[in-house]
Amino acid sequence: MLSTNSRKIRQDETRDGDPVIVAENLTVGYELARERQRLTALTGINLTIDRGEFVVLVGPSGCGKTTFINAVSGIVKPWEGSVAVNGKEVTGPGPDRAMVFQDYALMPWRTVEKNVRFPFELQGGGGLAKEEIDARIAHYIKLVDLDGFEHSYPYELSGGMRQRVGIARALVSEPDILLADEPFAAIDAMTREAMQAEMERIVAATGQTVVFITHSIDEAIALGDRVVVISYRPGRIKEIVPVNLPRPRFASDVKAIPEFSALREHVWELVKDEALRTSRGDTL
Amino acid sequence: MSITDRSVAKDVGTETPRLVAAETNVRTIWRRYGPWAVTILNLSTFFVVWELFARAEIVNKLFLPRASNMFTALWDGLTTTMPPGAVISGSIRDHLFYSLSNLGMGVVIAIAIGVPFGLLMGANRYVDSLLSPYVWAISSMPRIALVPLFILFLGFTRKMQVTIIVLSAVFPIMINSWAGVKTTDKSLLSAAKVFGAGRTQLYTKVVFPFTLPFIISGIQQGIGRGLVGVIIAEIFGGSKGLGYLISRSADTFNSPLLYAVLFLLVVVSLSLIQFTRWLEAKVAPWRRLETL
């Protein structure tokens, strides 16, 4: 795996992109109220993500991947260090960032259309006229292939369709950054493949910067420009693996390319020890 | 005698499609009206057996009237203003309206108190820890034990009766509202935060809609408990209402009237439950279908 290592170093030295997310020495954790304990989830994270980049975080359960995107989204505050988005330090949620959730987190009492409208209701139209907002909503519902289902309720849709609503809701305010927390984890294997292809197509169409969390190494390599492997408790960046496979990757069977299996093997080696530590319940 | 049996027996005869169509037709009719037919048959059998049993006079007719006498008493009581028996003034109808208007008033007051306090207790842990000892104390206590106290304070008045109804109905409403706020889906809350919801919006756009079906089922329970309160209050201290009729008809051995009122109570409480179910399905269709 020497070639992968050298590629990683080269990529880091020759960064010439336009940085959108900059995490510097980021340390975040939680207060466990009941045990009066502080649990460090992530520590010393230095990561720069460029505009239009698709970065995937992998690592064992509880390694702090979700904490990272929560810090970027602004719903948790750093203990040390900082996260900056577009050069400004993150102090709270903002319309330049949106998230897709593992359990979809759709409001069950709202129709598809009303769920997609939700961000506008909360943030205001951002200077858009009512017709423009309506057009925007219709556009993104169509982009995720849900036209005709505008007036359906989430309980009437399949898991894959619900997550399309989640994606449309995240895209509708046209944020710079799309944060996705294991968005396809609860979706069956076949639909999942289709959703990955959809994700690539949609992001190619909108040009968003994506931070994507997954447990699946295949999914990470198939989607990411870079795969960030995070170690277990407290979470640290173990290695950043660049993925230089041609796009669009789902036009042909990307998983059949020899380089794909080489990358998979490499990432698996990195993740394996961490996964073992998780299963043993090590805390340090 | 399934569809396939028949079509096989008939081979590829020209009549097969028509036969199949006829049979599916019978099936759809059966599926739609079958349960009703069974219920009607079931209940008629019950009343016929009752009638015959009562006619046999194995049990003293002062305790068990004939079903037909009960229905006559009920019909007369609901369609006329004739007093249903000695030393009772006002027909069943008058007493029914009295009880129902008390119940309505009591439930409305209980909603007006229970919902805001329940929501407040769910949302604010200081209010919660301040009020919850009292809420749990009174709600876990048998309300009937408080009736003499209220009679002492308020006398045998309508005010006393409504107070008892409110006290019976308010706690399920309050506790359900509280539970709705407390169990609001955490991921819905963080989604709303990510998309820019402020503190007020979290309550108006997430917590309240999430809690609404809880409030409705609280009201459903509240009506049930309220009805118990109505009867208790009227049996203990009243000169009007269905509870009063029950105790009065028992005192005067007017068993057709007593059974008529009991039967009417069943009908009333079933209709109220049905109404709140319909309301729940109307307000929160997502909840019913999700739990299926």
Side-chain angles (χ1 to χ4, degrees):
Chain A
M1 285 308 123
L2 205 123
S3 64
T4 340
N5 274 332
S6 62
R7 221 190 294 131
K8 170 193 129 199
I9 291 158
R10 194 182 60 217
Q11 168 123 358
D12 278 347
E13 279 169 353
T14 59
R15 301 207 69 85
D16 53 347
D18 166 18
V20 178
I21 303 171
V22 180
E24 276 176 346
N25 191 30
L26 179 68
T27 299
V28 201
Y30 296 99
E31 309 266 346
L32 296 177
R34 213 171 351 150
E35 289 136 53
R36 296 180 169 280
Q37 251 184 336
R38 279 156 68 95
L39 182 81
T40 313
L42 274 178
T43 187
I45 301 290
N46 286 298
L47 184 64
T48 302
I49 297 170
D50 291 337
R51 194 170 300 282
E53 206 180 5
F54 199 125
V55 171
V56 183
L57 308 183
V58 294
S61 306
C63 76
K65 305 179 297 276
T66 302
T67 310
F68 179 75
I69 64 169
N70 282 345
V72 176
S73 79
I75 56 175
V76 302
K77 299 223 176 339
W79 284 1
E80 277 168 46
S82 67
V83 193
V85 165
N86 285 324
K88 265 192 285 181
E89 192 171 330
V90 171
T91 54
D96 51 352
R97 285 149 287 149
M99 208 192 285
V100 180
F101 298 84
Q102 178 181 349
D103 56 358
Y104 322 127
L106 302 174
M107 309 297 148
W109 52 87
R110 284 171 170 258
T111 60
V112 168
E113 199 265 350
K114 291 243 166 71
N115 263 295
V116 177
R117 190 182 288 277
F118 197 49
F120 286 121
E121 269 184 43
L122 298 174
Q123 301 160 2
L128 292 174
K130 200 195 164 294
E131 297 77 41
E132 286 174 295
I133 290 176
D134 292 345
R136 183 85 81 79
I137 290 164
H139 171 76
Y140 281 101
I141 288 176
K142 199 166 161 48
L143 186 72
V144 297
D145 269 330
L146 281 178
D147 37 334
F149 291 95
E150 287 87 349
H151 303 296
S152 302
Y153 285 89
Y155 67 80
E156 298 169 312
L157 306 176
S158 68
M161 289 164 90
R162 289 184 204 186
Q163 195 54 290
R164 285 163 194 268
V165 181
I167 293 170
R169 176 180 64 180
L171 293 173
V172 76
S173 50
E174 302 191 342
D176 294 337
I177 297 161
L178 189 62
L179 305 164
D181 186 2
E182 297 187 43
F184 308 142
I187 294 171
D188 67 274
M190 278 160 137
T191 315
R192 187 169 182 159
E193 294 256 335
M195 292 295 288
Q196 290 165 5
E198 284 285 280
M199 190 80 191
E200 188 185 40
R201 175 181 70 83
I202 290 167
V203 171
T206 57
Q208 252 113 8
T209 309
V210 184
V211 183
F212 190 103
I213 293 176
T214 181
H215 273 120
S216 156
I217 295 171
D218 277 23
E219 187 168 86
I221 297 167
L223 286 171
D225 294 322
R226 282 193 290 163
V227 175
V228 178
V229 180
I230 297 183
S231 65
Y232 178 65
R233 223 171 258 183
R236 289 194 176 87
I237 294 181
K238 193 167 187 184
E239 190 173 321
I240 299 175
V241 181
V243 181
N244 293 317
L245 300 171
R247 285 187 189 275
R249 293 183 187 158
F250 286 89
S252 57
D253 189 3
V254 65
K255 291 171 191 174
I257 303 174
E259 212 186 341
F260 186 93
S261 29
L263 280 166
R264 176 165 55 194
E265 209 171 302
H266 178 59
V267 175
W268 171 237
E269 282 300 322
L270 292 170
V271 172
K272 196 167 65 181
D273 305 340
E274 302 303 327
L276 283 172
R277 288 178 59 204
T278 320
S279 63
R280 285 201 305 265
D282 292 1
T283 48
L284 228 149
Chain B
M1 284 290 269
S2 75
I3 302 172
T4 44
D5 284 344
R6 245 194 240 196
S7 35
V8 168
K10 276 254 166 192
D11 206 7
V12 277
T14 46
E15 271 191 286
T16 314
R18 197 176 57 83
L19 262 177
V20 171
E23 189 157 347
T24 40
N25 219 0
V26 170
R27 279 191 177 195
T28 46
I29 289 172
W30 175 247
R31 197 171 295 165
R32 188 173 299 171
Y33 301 108
W36 284 101
V38 170
T39 306
I40 289 168
L41 194 71
N42 183 4
L43 291 180
S44 332
T45 312
F46 173 78
F47 285 115
V48 167
V49 170
W50 173 359
E51 179 77 19
L52 293 176
F53 187 72
R55 274 174 192 265
E57 297 201 1
I58 299 165
V59 177
N60 191 330
K61 66 177 175 186
L62 285 178
F63 310 146
L64 182 73
R66 293 174 187 173
S68 56
N69 289 347
M70 176 196 79
F71 281 117
T72 314
L74 185 61
W75 179 256
D76 289 345
L78 288 175
T79 52
T80 63
T81 51
M82 202 170 57
V87 289
I88 298 172
S89 62
S91 69
I92 294 178
R93 194 168 61 180
D94 301 329
H95 291 282
L96 174 67
F97 287 156
Y98 178 79
S99 294
L100 283 184
S101 67
N102 277 358
L103 178 65
M105 211 185 307
V107 169
V108 167
I109 296 172
I111 292 170
I113 297 171
V115 173
F117 274 95
L119 294 179
L120 210 62
M121 282 172 68
N124 186 310
R125 69 198 156 93
Y126 298 108
V127 178
D128 190 7
S129 50
L130 187 74
L131 294 182
S132 62
Y134 306 103
V135 171
W136 291 108
I138 304 173
S139 70
S140 61
M141 161 184 215
R143 245 85 46 189
I144 193 168
L146 291 170
V147 174
L149 183 70
F150 287 114
I151 294 178
L152 199 64
F153 265 99
L154 300 163
F156 295 96
T157 58
R158 195 168 187 174
K159 222 182 264 173
M160 176 274 290
Q161 294 171 340
V162 174
T163 307
I164 289 165
I165 297 165
V166 170
L167 208 68
S168 306
V170 76
F171 292 108
I173 296 172
M174 198 183 280
I175 289 167
N176 270 281
S177 311
W178 170 85
V181 177
K182 282 284 177 199
T183 57
T184 304
D185 200 331
K186 297 280 173 299
S187 74
L188 296 185
L189 288 172
S190 52
K193 275 186 210 158
V194 166
F195 290 109
R199 207 177 146 70
T200 322
Q201 280 174 325
L202 282 182
Y203 283 102
T204 57
K205 304 266 182 191
V206 183
V207 175
F208 187 72
F210 188 91
T211 306
L212 198 55
F214 286 80
I215 295 176
I216 305 256
S217 58
I219 293 173
Q220 195 171 331
Q221 293 167 30
I223 290 175
R225 300 272 197 89
L227 200 60
V228 176
V230 169
I231 302 303
I232 287 174
E234 288 167 357
I235 287 179
F236 269 80
S239 51
K240 250 186 153 186
L242 295 179
Y244 166 77
L245 267 191
I246 289 172
S247 86
R248 205 70 181 135
S249 54
D251 288 350
T252 56
F253 294 98
N254 189 344
S255 61
L257 178 64
L258 175 58
Y259 279 75
V261 177
L262 293 178
F263 180 77
L264 186 62
L265 267 178
V266 172
V267 174
V268 165
S269 75
L270 283 182
S271 330
L272 287 172
I273 289 171
Q274 224 32 56
F275 166 72
T276 46
R277 282 203 182 149
W278 170 84
L279 191 70
E280 190 180 19
K282 199 90 184 153
V283 173
W286 49 276
R287 190 145 182 264
R288 257 177 134 35
L289 283 151
E290 258 185 358
T291 51
L292 265 180

